[in-house]
Amino acid sequence: MRGPGQWQHRLRRQGARWTVPRRAILELLSRTSKHLSAKEVYGSLHRTNPGLGLTTVYRTLDLLVRMGLLNKLSFGSGESRYEFRSTDEETHHHHLICMQCGKIIDYTDFVDEEQELVKKIEDSLAKKHGFKINDHHIEFLGLCPECRG
Amino acid sequence: MRGPGQWQHRLRRQGARWTVPRRAILELLSRTSKHLSAKEVYGSLHRTNPGLGLTTVYRTLDLLVRMGLLNKLSFGSGESRYEFRSTDEETHHHHLICMQCGKIIDYTDFVDEEQELVKKIEDSLAKKHGFKINDHHIEFLGLCPECRG
DNA sequence: ATGATAATGAAAACCGTTATCAATAATAAT
DNA sequence: ATTATTATTGATAACGGTTTTCATTATCAT
Ligand SMILES: [Mn+2]
Ligand SMILES: [Mn+2]
Ligand SMILES: [Zn+2]
Ligand SMILES: [Zn+2]
Protein backbone atom coordinates (compact mmCIF):
# COMPACT_ATOMS: atom_id res chain seq x y z
CA MET A 1 0.00 0.00 0.00
CA ARG A 2 1.55 3.25 -1.13
CA GLY A 3 0.60 6.70 -2.28
CA PRO A 4 -2.50 8.72 -1.29
CA GLY A 5 -4.11 5.96 0.76
CA GLN A 6 -0.96 5.49 2.78
CA TRP A 7 -0.52 9.21 3.32
CA GLN A 8 -4.11 9.73 4.36
CA HIS A 9 -3.86 6.92 6.86
CA ARG A 10 -0.66 8.34 8.27
CA LEU A 11 -2.07 11.83 8.73
CA ARG A 12 -5.33 10.70 10.26
CA ARG A 13 -3.54 8.42 12.66
CA GLN A 14 -1.82 11.48 14.07
CA GLY A 15 -5.03 13.46 14.37
CA ALA A 16 -4.62 15.53 11.20
CA ARG A 17 -7.30 15.88 8.53
CA TRP A 18 -6.95 14.78 4.93
CA THR A 19 -7.41 17.97 2.94
CA VAL A 20 -7.11 19.11 -0.65
CA PRO A 21 -3.93 21.17 -0.17
CA ARG A 22 -2.17 18.37 1.70
CA ARG A 23 -2.99 15.87 -0.99
CA ALA A 24 -1.96 18.25 -3.78
CA ILE A 25 1.40 19.06 -2.18
CA LEU A 26 2.18 15.42 -1.46
CA GLU A 27 1.30 14.40 -5.00
CA LEU A 28 3.45 17.15 -6.45
CA LEU A 29 6.51 16.35 -4.37
CA SER A 30 6.15 12.58 -4.75
CA ARG A 31 6.13 12.95 -8.53
CA THR A 32 9.25 15.08 -8.87
CA SER A 33 12.84 14.38 -7.91
CA LYS A 34 13.46 18.11 -7.55
CA HIS A 35 14.11 19.95 -4.34
CA LEU A 36 11.39 22.62 -4.35
CA SER A 37 11.03 25.81 -2.34
CA ALA A 38 7.70 26.85 -0.84
CA LYS A 39 7.27 29.46 -3.53
CA GLU A 40 7.98 26.91 -6.26
CA VAL A 41 5.40 24.53 -4.78
CA TYR A 42 2.94 27.40 -4.68
CA GLY A 43 3.69 28.31 -8.29
CA SER A 44 3.31 24.73 -9.52
CA LEU A 45 -0.03 24.22 -7.82
CA HIS A 46 -1.56 27.57 -8.63
CA ARG A 47 -2.89 26.38 -11.99
CA THR A 48 -4.79 23.38 -10.67
CA ASN A 49 -5.59 24.89 -7.26
CA PRO A 50 -6.28 28.58 -7.85
CA GLY A 51 -7.55 29.22 -4.35
CA LEU A 52 -4.47 27.87 -2.58
CA GLY A 53 -2.58 30.38 -0.43
CA LEU A 54 1.15 30.61 0.12
CA THR A 55 0.60 30.52 3.87
CA THR A 56 -1.04 27.14 3.56
CA VAL A 57 1.89 25.87 1.52
CA TYR A 58 4.29 26.85 4.29
CA ARG A 59 2.10 25.32 6.96
CA THR A 60 1.56 22.12 5.01
CA LEU A 61 5.23 21.65 4.20
CA ASP A 62 6.01 22.10 7.87
CA LEU A 63 3.35 19.58 8.86
CA LEU A 64 4.51 16.99 6.37
CA VAL A 65 8.09 17.34 7.60
CA ARG A 66 6.88 16.76 11.15
CA MET A 67 4.93 13.72 9.96
CA GLY A 68 8.06 12.32 8.35
CA LEU A 69 6.76 12.48 4.78
CA LEU A 70 9.13 15.22 3.58
CA ASN A 71 12.72 16.29 4.18
CA LYS A 72 13.48 19.97 4.72
CA LEU A 73 16.83 21.06 3.33
CA SER A 74 18.83 24.24 3.82
CA PHE A 75 21.50 25.12 1.33
CA GLY A 76 22.93 28.56 1.95
CA SER A 77 20.57 30.39 -0.40
CA GLY A 78 18.03 31.86 1.98
CA GLU A 79 14.99 29.70 1.26
CA SER A 80 14.36 26.19 2.50
CA ARG A 81 13.80 23.39 0.03
CA TYR A 82 11.73 20.26 0.38
CA GLU A 83 12.02 16.75 -1.05
CA PHE A 84 9.74 13.77 -0.81
CA ARG A 85 10.87 11.23 1.75
CA SER A 86 10.43 7.74 0.45
CA THR A 87 9.54 5.12 3.00
CA ASP A 88 12.22 2.98 1.45
CA GLU A 89 15.36 3.06 3.59
CA GLU A 90 17.43 2.41 0.48
CA THR A 91 16.85 5.89 -0.86
CA HIS A 92 19.11 7.67 1.59
CA HIS A 93 21.31 9.95 -0.45
CA HIS A 94 23.64 12.92 -0.35
CA HIS A 95 23.86 16.03 -2.47
CA LEU A 96 26.08 17.43 -5.18
CA ILE A 97 25.44 21.15 -5.59
CA CYS A 98 26.47 23.69 -8.21
CA MET A 99 27.70 26.80 -6.41
CA GLN A 100 26.76 29.01 -9.34
CA CYS A 101 23.32 27.98 -10.64
CA GLY A 102 22.17 26.06 -7.58
CA LYS A 103 21.54 22.79 -9.40
CA ILE A 104 21.14 19.92 -6.95
CA ILE A 105 21.96 16.31 -7.78
CA ASP A 106 21.14 13.35 -5.55
CA TYR A 107 23.84 10.74 -5.44
CA THR A 108 24.25 7.37 -3.75
CA ASP A 109 27.83 6.50 -4.69
CA PHE A 110 29.95 4.55 -2.26
CA VAL A 111 27.05 4.17 0.11
CA ASP A 112 28.54 1.02 1.63
CA GLU A 113 31.96 2.40 2.42
CA GLU A 114 30.38 5.67 3.36
CA GLN A 115 27.93 4.12 5.76
CA GLU A 116 30.72 2.18 7.37
CA LEU A 117 32.78 5.31 7.97
CA VAL A 118 29.73 7.28 9.06
CA LYS A 119 29.01 4.64 11.68
CA LYS A 120 32.56 4.80 12.97
CA ILE A 121 32.49 8.58 13.19
CA GLU A 122 29.11 8.53 14.86
CA ASP A 123 30.32 6.09 17.52
CA SER A 124 33.45 8.11 18.11
CA LEU A 125 31.61 11.42 18.34
CA ALA A 126 28.91 9.97 20.56
CA LYS A 127 31.53 8.66 22.95
CA LYS A 128 33.82 11.68 22.91
CA HIS A 129 31.20 14.42 23.11
CA GLY A 130 28.29 12.63 24.68
CA PHE A 131 25.95 13.32 21.77
CA LYS A 132 23.05 11.14 20.72
CA ILE A 133 23.48 11.29 16.95
CA ASN A 134 20.37 11.09 14.79
CA ASP A 135 21.31 12.15 11.31
CA HIS A 136 24.01 13.48 9.04
CA HIS A 137 24.28 15.72 6.03
CA ILE A 138 26.99 15.26 3.41
CA GLU A 139 27.24 17.55 0.43
CA PHE A 140 29.79 18.31 -2.25
CA LEU A 141 30.03 21.77 -3.78
CA GLY A 142 31.33 22.62 -7.21
CA LEU A 143 30.51 23.81 -10.69
CA CYS A 144 28.20 21.90 -13.02
CA PRO A 145 29.16 21.31 -16.67
CA GLU A 146 27.08 24.30 -17.85
CA CYS A 147 28.52 26.70 -15.28
CA ARG A 148 32.16 25.73 -15.80
CA GLY A 149 32.15 27.30 -19.25
CA MET B 1 54.08 36.49 9.07
CA ARG B 2 50.59 36.15 10.52
CA GLY B 3 47.82 38.22 11.98
CA PRO B 4 47.01 41.90 11.28
CA GLY B 5 50.00 42.51 9.02
CA GLN B 6 49.10 39.52 6.89
CA TRP B 7 45.45 40.47 6.70
CA GLN B 8 46.20 44.08 5.82
CA HIS B 9 48.52 42.99 3.06
CA ARG B 10 45.91 40.60 1.69
CA LEU B 11 43.16 43.19 1.60
CA ARG B 12 45.26 45.91 0.07
CA ARG B 13 46.57 43.57 -2.60
CA GLN B 14 42.99 43.14 -3.75
CA GLY B 15 42.28 46.86 -3.79
CA ALA B 16 40.47 47.06 -0.45
CA ARG B 17 41.33 49.52 2.31
CA TRP B 18 42.50 48.59 5.79
CA THR B 19 39.87 50.04 8.09
CA VAL B 20 39.00 49.95 11.76
CA PRO B 21 35.88 47.75 11.40
CA ARG B 22 37.70 45.24 9.23
CA ARG B 23 40.53 44.94 11.68
CA ALA B 24 38.17 44.67 14.66
CA ILE B 25 36.07 41.93 13.06
CA LEU B 26 39.10 39.92 11.98
CA GLU B 27 40.65 40.16 15.44
CA LEU B 28 37.40 39.07 17.09
CA LEU B 29 36.87 36.06 14.86
CA SER B 30 40.53 35.00 14.90
CA ARG B 31 40.48 34.94 18.70
CA THR B 32 37.37 32.78 19.14
CA SER B 33 36.63 29.25 18.06
CA LYS B 34 32.92 30.04 18.00
CA HIS B 35 30.72 30.29 14.95
CA LEU B 36 29.26 33.79 15.28
CA SER B 37 26.28 35.40 13.59
CA ALA B 38 26.42 38.96 12.26
CA LYS B 39 24.37 40.15 15.20
CA GLU B 40 26.67 38.42 17.66
CA VAL B 41 29.70 40.02 16.05
CA TYR B 42 27.94 43.37 16.28
CA GLY B 43 27.10 42.78 19.91
CA SER B 44 30.64 41.78 20.83
CA LEU B 45 32.22 44.79 19.19
CA HIS B 46 29.73 47.39 20.31
CA ARG B 47 31.58 48.00 23.59
CA THR B 48 34.97 48.74 22.07
CA ASN B 49 33.60 50.24 18.83
CA PRO B 50 30.49 52.19 19.78
CA GLY B 51 30.07 53.79 16.38
CA LEU B 52 30.05 50.54 14.43
CA GLY B 53 26.89 49.81 12.47
CA LEU B 54 25.27 46.47 11.84
CA THR B 55 25.28 47.18 8.11
CA THR B 56 29.02 47.47 8.17
CA VAL B 57 29.28 44.17 10.00
CA TYR B 58 27.28 42.45 7.26
CA ARG B 59 29.31 44.10 4.52
CA THR B 60 32.61 43.32 6.19
CA LEU B 61 31.77 39.68 6.85
CA ASP B 62 30.79 39.31 3.22
CA LEU B 63 34.01 40.95 2.05
CA LEU B 64 36.19 38.79 4.28
CA VAL B 65 34.49 35.65 2.99
CA ARG B 66 35.17 36.78 -0.57
CA MET B 67 38.79 37.43 0.38
CA GLY B 68 39.08 33.92 1.79
CA LEU B 69 39.68 34.99 5.39
CA LEU B 70 36.37 33.68 6.77
CA ASN B 71 34.03 30.77 6.16
CA LYS B 72 30.31 31.42 5.93
CA LEU B 73 28.17 28.62 7.33
CA SER B 74 24.44 27.94 7.02
CA PHE B 75 22.81 25.62 9.46
CA GLY B 76 19.05 25.64 9.03
CA SER B 77 18.38 28.29 11.68
CA GLY B 78 17.77 31.39 9.60
CA GLU B 79 20.95 33.38 10.22
CA SER B 80 24.35 32.73 8.68
CA ARG B 81 27.33 32.09 10.91
CA TYR B 82 30.98 32.88 10.34
CA GLU B 83 34.23 31.28 11.45
CA PHE B 84 37.82 32.32 11.00
CA ARG B 85 39.55 30.50 8.19
CA SER B 86 43.05 29.57 9.19
CA THR B 87 45.62 29.55 6.44
CA ASP B 88 46.75 26.22 7.81
CA GLU B 89 45.41 23.37 5.69
CA GLU B 90 45.48 21.11 8.74
CA THR B 91 42.55 22.88 10.35
CA HIS B 92 39.94 21.54 7.97
CA HIS B 93 37.13 20.19 10.10
CA HIS B 94 33.52 19.11 10.12
CA HIS B 95 30.64 19.89 12.45
CA LEU B 96 28.66 18.16 15.14
CA ILE B 97 25.46 20.08 15.85
CA CYS B 98 22.86 19.87 18.60
CA MET B 99 19.43 19.99 16.96
CA GLN B 100 17.88 21.46 20.10
CA CYS B 101 20.17 24.19 21.49
CA GLY B 102 22.22 24.78 18.35
CA LYS B 103 25.59 24.04 19.93
CA ILE B 104 28.27 23.54 17.29
CA ILE B 105 31.36 21.41 17.82
CA ASP B 106 34.29 21.26 15.41
CA TYR B 107 35.72 17.81 15.01
CA THR B 108 38.60 16.32 13.09
CA ASP B 109 38.15 12.61 13.84
CA PHE B 110 39.02 10.09 11.18
CA VAL B 111 40.32 12.80 8.91
CA ASP B 112 42.64 10.40 7.13
CA GLU B 113 40.06 7.74 6.30
CA GLU B 114 37.54 10.47 5.65
CA GLN B 115 39.77 12.35 3.26
CA GLU B 116 40.46 9.14 1.40
CA LEU B 117 36.78 8.41 0.92
CA VAL B 118 36.04 12.04 0.10
CA LYS B 119 38.64 11.93 -2.64
CA LYS B 120 37.12 8.77 -4.10
CA ILE B 121 33.64 10.25 -4.07
CA GLU B 122 34.86 13.49 -5.58
CA ASP B 123 36.54 11.66 -8.44
CA SER B 124 33.49 9.54 -9.04
CA LEU B 125 31.10 12.48 -8.97
CA ALA B 126 33.35 14.61 -11.14
CA LYS B 127 33.48 11.86 -13.75
CA LYS B 128 29.85 10.84 -13.62
CA HIS B 129 28.23 14.28 -13.49
CA GLY B 130 30.91 16.45 -15.04
CA PHE B 131 31.26 18.65 -11.99
CA LYS B 132 34.41 20.49 -10.94
CA ILE B 133 34.27 19.86 -7.20
CA ASN B 134 35.70 22.53 -4.91
CA ASP B 135 34.54 21.78 -1.41
CA HIS B 136 32.41 19.61 0.80
CA HIS B 137 30.37 19.96 3.96
CA ILE B 138 29.91 17.11 6.41
CA GLU B 139 27.84 17.50 9.54
CA PHE B 140 26.33 15.22 12.13
CA LEU B 141 23.11 16.17 13.88
CA GLY B 142 22.00 15.03 17.28
CA LEU B 143 21.40 15.98 20.89
CA CYS B 144 24.14 17.25 23.19
CA PRO B 145 24.50 15.90 26.74
CA GLU B 146 22.55 18.85 28.22
CA CYS B 147 19.67 18.56 25.77
CA ARG B 148 19.27 14.79 26.04
CA GLY B 149 18.00 15.11 29.59
C1' DA C 1 48.21 68.83 2.93
C1' DT C 2 44.99 67.81 -0.86
C1' DG C 3 41.93 65.36 -3.79
C1' DA C 4 39.85 61.13 -5.36
C1' DT C 5 37.03 57.63 -3.98
C1' DA C 6 36.25 53.51 -1.10
C1' DA C 7 33.99 52.68 3.15
C1' DT C 8 30.75 53.79 6.63
C1' DG C 9 26.23 54.25 9.22
C1' DA C 10 21.24 55.43 9.55
C1' DA C 11 17.17 54.58 7.42
C1' DA C 12 14.30 52.36 4.34
C1' DA C 13 13.48 48.48 1.47
C1' DC C 14 13.55 43.62 0.68
C1' DC C 15 12.51 38.65 1.15
C1' DG C 16 11.41 34.36 3.32
C1' DT C 17 8.69 33.01 6.90
C1' DT C 18 5.34 33.20 10.86
C1' DA C 19 1.34 35.04 13.60
C1' DT C 20 -3.44 36.72 13.63
C1' DC C 21 -8.15 36.07 12.84
C1' DA C 22 -12.53 35.56 10.61
C1' DA C 23 -14.42 32.28 7.22
C1' DT C 24 -14.56 27.56 5.61
C1' DA C 25 -14.27 22.65 5.24
C1' DA C 26 -13.47 17.96 7.30
C1' DT C 27 -14.97 14.86 10.55
C1' DA C 28 -17.87 13.11 14.47
C1' DA C 29 -22.23 12.88 16.56
C1' DT C 30 -26.97 12.79 15.97
C1' DA D 1 -28.67 13.12 5.83
C1' DT D 2 -28.29 16.95 9.18
C1' DT D 3 -25.99 19.13 12.58
C1' DA D 4 -22.28 20.35 15.69
C1' DT D 5 -17.45 20.56 16.60
C1' DT D 6 -13.17 22.17 15.57
C1' DA D 7 -9.02 21.75 12.53
C1' DT D 8 -7.73 24.05 8.48
C1' DT D 9 -7.60 27.69 5.34
C1' DG D 10 -6.35 32.25 3.11
C1' DA D 11 -5.81 37.35 3.37
C1' DT D 12 -3.32 40.45 5.85
C1' DA D 13 -0.08 42.11 8.88
C1' DA D 14 4.01 41.33 11.41
C1' DC D 15 8.58 39.53 11.92
C1' DG D 16 13.80 38.73 11.59
C1' DG D 17 17.76 38.56 8.80
C1' DT D 18 19.89 40.78 5.11
C1' DT D 19 20.54 44.26 1.35
C1' DT D 20 19.99 48.78 -0.83
C1' DT D 21 20.22 53.69 -0.75
C1' DC D 22 22.52 57.85 -0.02
C1' DA D 23 24.77 61.53 2.30
C1' DT D 24 28.89 61.76 5.27
C1' DT D 25 33.48 60.22 6.60
C1' DA D 26 37.94 57.97 6.42
C1' DT D 27 41.63 55.94 3.78
C1' DC D 28 45.21 56.44 0.73
C1' DA D 29 47.82 58.05 -3.62
C1' DT D 30 49.56 62.23 -4.89
MN1 LIG E 1 17.88 15.05 -2.38
MN1 LIG F 1 33.73 25.13 12.46
ZN1 LIG G 1 25.55 25.22 -12.46
ZN1 LIG H 1 22.00 20.96 23.00
Side-chain angles (χ1 to χ4, degrees), chain A:
Chain A
M1 185 184 180
R2 191 160 297 196
Q6 169 87 295
W7 305 331
Q8 172 173 16
H9 189 255
R10 189 131 164 201
L11 289 199
R12 304 222 34 198
R13 206 173 42 202
Q14 307 199 38
R17 294 177 179 177
W18 184 238
T19 69
V20 172
R22 288 169 188 182
R23 173 169 189 152
I25 289 174
L26 272 170
E27 293 197 326
L28 172 63
L29 280 164
S30 69
R31 277 169 166 60
T32 184
S33 65
K34 290 179 186 166
H35 306 74
L36 299 177
S37 68
K39 210 159 280 183
E40 287 168 348
V41 168
Y42 176 71
S44 292
L45 293 178
H46 204 263
R47 314 171 181 189
T48 52
N49 300 60
L52 179 64
L54 181 56
T55 306
T56 298
V57 173
Y58 276 109
R59 273 190 299 233
T60 303
L61 290 170
D62 189 59
L63 174 78
L64 297 177
V65 169
R66 270 169 7 236
M67 299 263 170
L69 291 167
L70 301 181
N71 288 330
K72 181 177 187 175
L73 308 168
S74 308
F75 311 104
S77 53
E79 0 94 309
S80 295
R81 295 190 165 274
Y82 300 82
E83 67 180 359
F84 186 72
R85 179 175 192 152
S86 167
T87 53
D88 188 350
E89 278 293 326
E90 292 298 318
T91 63
H92 175 76
H93 63 269
H94 298 152
H95 293 124
L96 173 58
I97 303 163
C98 177
M99 299 185 303
Q100 189 149 320
C101 70
K103 182 180 300 167
I104 301 166
I105 293 177
D106 293 343
Y107 77 86
T108 53
D109 301 45
F110 295 104
V111 278
D112 293 348
E113 298 168 67
E114 209 178 66
Q115 284 307 81
E116 197 180 312
L117 180 57
V118 160
K119 271 276 176 294
K120 267 168 71 175
I121 296 176
E122 283 189 357
D123 290 348
S124 162
L125 292 177
K127 186 168 296 178
K128 186 186 290 184
H129 297 106
F131 270 61
K132 167 80 180 60
I133 297 180
N134 296 100
D135 197 8
H136 63 262
H137 294 341
I138 297 183
E139 59 190 39
F140 287 87
L141 310 170
L143 293 175
C144 75
E146 288 75 34
C147 292
R148 276 201 301 186

Side-chain angles (χ1 to χ4, degrees), chain A residues 76 99 109-110 113-114 120-121 124 128-132 134-137 139 141-143 145 148, chain B residues 74 99 109 113-114 120-121 124 128-132 134-143 145 148:
Chain A
M99 299 185 303
D109 301 45
F110 295 104
E113 298 168 67
E114 209 178 66
K120 267 168 71 175
I121 296 176
S124 162
K128 186 186 290 184
H129 297 106
F131 270 61
K132 167 80 180 60
N134 296 100
D135 197 8
H136 63 262
H137 294 341
E139 59 190 39
L141 310 170
L143 293 175
R148 276 201 301 186
Chain B
S74 307
M99 298 185 303
D109 301 46
E113 296 169 69
E114 209 178 62
K120 266 167 73 175
I121 296 177
S124 163
K128 187 186 288 183
H129 296 106
F131 271 59
K132 167 78 179 61
N134 296 100
D135 198 8
H136 63 263
H137 294 341
I138 297 182
E139 59 190 40
F140 287 87
L141 309 170
L143 293 176
R148 275 201 301 187

Side-chain angles (χ1 to χ4, degrees), chain B:
Chain B
M1 183 183 182
R2 192 160 296 198
Q6 170 87 297
W7 304 331
Q8 173 173 14
H9 189 256
R10 190 134 163 200
L11 288 200
R12 305 221 34 200
R13 206 172 43 201
Q14 307 199 37
R17 294 177 178 176
W18 183 238
T19 69
V20 172
R22 287 171 189 182
R23 173 169 188 152
I25 290 174
L26 273 171
E27 293 197 327
L28 171 64
L29 280 165
S30 69
R31 276 167 165 61
T32 186
S33 66
K34 291 179 184 163
H35 307 73
L36 298 177
S37 69
K39 212 160 280 184
E40 287 167 347
V41 169
Y42 176 70
S44 293
L45 293 178
H46 204 263
R47 314 171 182 188
T48 52
N49 300 60
L52 179 64
L54 181 56
T55 308
T56 298
V57 173
Y58 276 109
R59 273 190 299 231
T60 302
L61 290 170
D62 189 58
L63 175 78
L64 297 177
V65 168
R66 275 178 351 247
M67 299 263 172
L69 291 167
L70 301 180
N71 288 330
K72 182 177 187 174
L73 308 168
S74 307
F75 312 104
S77 53
E79 0 95 306
S80 296
R81 296 190 164 273
Y82 299 83
E83 68 180 359
F84 187 71
R85 178 174 193 152
S86 167
T87 52
D88 188 351
E89 278 292 328
E90 292 299 317
T91 62
H92 176 75
H93 63 268
H94 299 152
H95 292 125
L96 173 58
I97 302 162
C98 177
M99 298 185 303
Q100 189 149 319
C101 70
K103 183 180 299 168
I104 301 166
I105 292 177
D106 294 342
Y107 77 86
T108 53
D109 301 46
F110 295 104
V111 278
D112 293 347
E113 296 169 69
E114 209 178 62
Q115 284 308 80
E116 196 180 313
L117 180 57
V118 160
K119 272 276 175 293
K120 266 167 73 175
I121 296 177
E122 283 189 357
D123 289 348
S124 163
L125 292 178
K127 186 169 296 180
K128 187 186 288 183
H129 296 106
F131 271 59
K132 167 78 179 61
I133 296 179
N134 296 100
D135 198 8
H136 63 263
H137 294 341
I138 297 182
E139 59 190 40
F140 287 87
L141 309 170
L143 293 176
C144 75
E146 288 76 35
C147 292
R148 275 201 301 187

